[in-house]
């Protein structure tokens, strides 16, 4: 198996070995390093966003960070490094294709960063995070586009001096594991009332808010 291409040379290679060891292998695994790496990553991304976007408020910075630091993005970084072929798994995880599982790849990326932090310090981690995230930072959408429909509808109405919308569940049907909710969203000041469905109340409310946004904007 080829060596992991990390652009970092460990002084204590046993740290990297532990970072690549899933809990299914045994008691000594990468969970503690994952915990550490997660904190380091969030701090470094927060620092970078703070510097890049000096005018953006805290809530938008948090949304941008969540867009970057999540399981999907970290798993993609793991795939780019072909990390799956280097992660040590127990026999059960091997048989179930654990080396391809997004959660395992994402956790391993954070664990590797935790190992680099212990081995080389904060600036060594900064170099890695910069390589992993530079293009992703450059291609971030406007922070306003990351807000969910309910938040955008609320802010739009507040900006125009209108009361907040109200949501009500009109129907909930189906078996417990296949529930379908129908929700109404009403903007009384504008005479707007729309309905939408979703597999949870929250999803139905968001879908209704999206429809209401189109109606208010139109």
């Amino acid at each position: 198996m080829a060596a992991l291409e990390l652009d970092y040379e460990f002084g204590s290679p046993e740290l990297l070995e532990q970072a690549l060891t899933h809990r299914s292998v045994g008691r000594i695994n990468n969970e503690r390093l994952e915990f550490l790496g997660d904190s380091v990553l969030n701090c470094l991304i927060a620092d970078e966003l703070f510097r890049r976007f000096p005018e953006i408020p805290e809530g938008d910075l948090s949304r941008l960070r969540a867009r970057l630091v999540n399981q999907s993005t970290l798993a993609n970084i793991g795939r780019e490094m072909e990390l799956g072929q280097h992660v040590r798994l127990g026999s059960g995880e091997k048989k179930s294709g654990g080396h391809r599982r997004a959660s395992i790849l994402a956790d391993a990326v954070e664990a590797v960063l935790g190992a680099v932090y212990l081995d080389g310090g904060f600036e060594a981690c900064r170099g890695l995070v910069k390589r992993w995230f530079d293009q992703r930072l450059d291609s971030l959408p406007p922070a306003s586009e990351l807000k969910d429909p309910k938040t955008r509808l609320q802010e739009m109405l507040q900006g125009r001096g209108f009361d907040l919308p109200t949501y009500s569940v009109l129907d909930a049907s189906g078996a417990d594991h296949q529930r379908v909710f129908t929700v109404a969203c009403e903007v009384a000041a504008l005479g707007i009332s729309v309905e939408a469905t979703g597999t949870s109340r929250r999803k139905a409310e968001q879908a209704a808010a999206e429809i209401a946004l189109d109606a208010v904007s139109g």
Side-chain angles (χ1 to χ4, degrees), residues 152-166 185-194 209 211-218:
R152 285 188 281 128
L153 177 61
Q154 176 178 317
E155 290 181 352
M156 177 184 289
L157 294 173
Q158 286 178 323
R160 298 183 184 185
F162 296 133
D163 290 337
L164 298 181
T166 59
C185 173
E186 183 177 1
V187 183
L190 299 177
I192 293 173
S193 182
V194 300
I211 298 171
L213 268 170
D214 291 339
V216 172
S217 301

Side-chain angles (χ1 to χ4, degrees), residues 11 26 32 50 56 93 100 149 162 166 168 205 213 215:
R32 283 171 53 83
F50 187 87
I56 289 181
E93 286 291 353
R100 294 188 299 270
F162 296 133
T166 59
S168 55
E205 288 180 351
L213 268 170

Side-chain angles (χ1 to χ4, degrees), residues 110-121:
E110 290 181 329
V112 166
L113 192 64
V116 171
Y117 173 75
L118 291 178
D119 191 74

Side-chain angles (χ1 to χ4, degrees), residues 26-209:
R27 185 178 61 83
I28 299 177
N29 55 60
N30 64 6
E31 288 188 323
R32 283 171 53 83
L33 289 173
E34 173 205 337
F35 165 80
L36 183 60
D38 174 71
S39 298
V40 172
L41 178 59
N42 273 283
C43 181
L44 285 168
I45 292 296
D47 179 73
E48 184 64 25
L49 290 171
F50 187 87
R51 296 173 189 275
R52 284 190 181 220
F53 305 108
E55 304 301 323
I56 289 181
E58 179 272 338
D60 289 344
L61 289 173
S62 294
R63 276 184 280 274
L64 289 171
R65 183 175 61 181
R67 175 66 174 254
L68 292 166
V69 184
N70 56 64
Q71 183 181 105
S72 177
T73 300
L74 293 174
N76 284 334
I77 291 171
R79 294 184 188 103
E80 291 165 7
M81 293 192 293
E82 298 183 341
L83 196 60
Q85 63 179 289
H86 299 279
V87 176
R88 296 174 59 216
L89 300 169
S91 58
E93 286 291 353
K94 280 183 182 178
K95 290 177 182 177
S96 64
H99 64 284
R100 294 188 299 270
R101 189 169 300 133
S103 59
I104 289 178
L105 291 173
D107 290 349
V109 168
E110 290 181 329
V112 166
L113 192 64
V116 171
Y117 173 75
L118 291 178
D119 191 74
F122 204 69
E123 290 308 311
C125 291
R126 190 188 299 276
L128 273 187
V129 170
K130 183 175 176 60
R131 285 190 287 275
W132 292 347
F133 284 93
D134 250 4
Q135 288 188 349
R136 292 174 168 89
L137 282 158
D138 290 339
S139 60
L140 278 173
S144 60
E145 293 182 11
L146 300 179
K147 295 179 181 178
D148 63 80
K150 287 183 68 175
T151 300
R152 285 188 281 128
L153 177 61
Q154 176 178 317
E155 290 181 352
M156 177 184 289
L157 294 173
Q158 286 178 323
R160 298 183 184 185
F162 296 133
D163 290 337
L164 298 181
T166 59
Y167 299 89
S168 55
V169 177
L170 301 180
D171 185 54
S173 59
D176 287 345
H177 64 288
Q178 292 179 321
R179 300 285 276 175
V180 176
F181 291 82
T182 302
V183 167
C185 173
E186 183 177 1
V187 183
L190 299 177
I192 293 173
S193 182
V194 300
E195 298 177 14
T197 61
T199 55
S200 69
R201 177 173 179 170
R202 178 182 178 280
K203 289 180 179 179
E205 288 180 351
Q206 295 288 6

